Amino acid sequence: MTNLTRSIGDLIREWRLRRRFSQLDLARDAEISTKHLSFLETGRSLPSRDMLLHLAEQMAVPLRDRNVMLRAAGFTASYQERSLDDPDFRPARRSIDLILSMHAPNPALAVDLHWTMVVANNAVNNLIVGVDPLLLTPPVNVVRLSLHPAGLAPRIINLGEWRRLIFERLRRQVEATGDPVLADLVEEVRDYPLPPGLAGRQRPPDHEIVAIPFQLATVHGPLSFISTTTVFHTPVDITLSELAIEAFFPADQATVSVMRRLAEGEPAETSRLERRVATG
């Protein structure tokens, strides 16, 4: 996210450099002259509302930051940020709930830009048994829940490679958005202590697997999942644009069997999540 006090020319230049575009690259994509773009960045010209949104679209500026750019240029913000309980958000909320429920008996959850858990299906309860209750106090941060020593980390069989995947994804998000909350989260998680001997664990060669799984030790035996991320196409609401649905699919038959048994009523010990919804 960008500083509200910056001039619109500075913000255009900042996002252009963040996207590693030269002035020629952006001018070509936006079908304007490099001279005009240079004038916009230096403040010699001011963009119209349409031109500003056009440039933001070419640079894939997040909707939240497009509002910052609009305000810096003297325009009103275009994009609303609705709560999940807003009546206008109801169709999207129904879609999210449907995706999560249809994914049962396997775990799935929705997170926001900062990896705060927004909603989860009941199968997620089966993965979080034994987690420190403090990590399950809303707002629940999924990165902390996964990598904190009092969270799932001690039970993640392939913690080293899973941790690297999360860090890489966070790094890309920080690079794409400039979000300071995400940057702080990276620094926080990087300082978490690692279990002894983690660096020496070996993973299968890449040619022996189709995707790096999430492997978790449980009282029902080891579970193995491959994960997918779903986002909404062409959102014009900030909340929806920042939501992602993380779905986990069994990577072996043993995991299929365990998840089915748990869904049919086999106790998963005491769970503490129960579809917590982060509010605010």
Side-chain angles (χ1 to χ4, degrees), residues 27-93:
R28 183 184 60 238
D29 291 348
E31 298 183 328
I32 62 175
S33 69
T34 54
K35 181 179 180 180
H36 185 38
L37 178 58
S38 177
F39 277 23
L40 293 175
E41 290 189 355
T42 58
R44 294 180 66 181
S45 295
L46 293 176
S48 68
R49 185 186 190 90
D50 287 345
M51 174 56 70
L52 182 54
L53 291 175
H54 178 57
L55 290 173
E57 181 70 23
Q58 302 311 307
M59 295 186 289
V61 176
L63 300 190
R64 184 180 299 278
D65 290 283
R66 295 187 196 192
N67 277 348
V68 173
M69 296 176 77
L70 285 165
R71 294 189 188 103
F75 302 114
T76 57
S78 285
Y79 304 99
Q80 293 190 53
E81 183 177 5
R82 298 173 177 86
S83 73
L84 267 67
D85 297 322
D86 189 301
D88 290 337
F89 202 84
R90 210 166 282 152
R93 178 58 190 267

Side-chain angles (χ1 to χ4, degrees), residues 95-124:
S95 299
I96 294 167
D97 289 341
L98 179 62
I99 293 171
L100 298 184
S101 63
M102 292 294 289
H103 196 65
N106 302 309
L109 60 151
V111 297
D112 66 12
L113 174 66
H114 299 140
W115 289 80
T116 301
M117 186 185 299
V118 176
V119 64
N121 67 11
N122 290 329
V124 172

Side-chain angles (χ1 to χ4, degrees), residues 209-224:
I209 56 177
V210 295
I212 294 175
F214 172 66
Q215 298 173 322
L216 189 68
T218 75
V219 295
H220 308 281
L223 301 180
S224 183

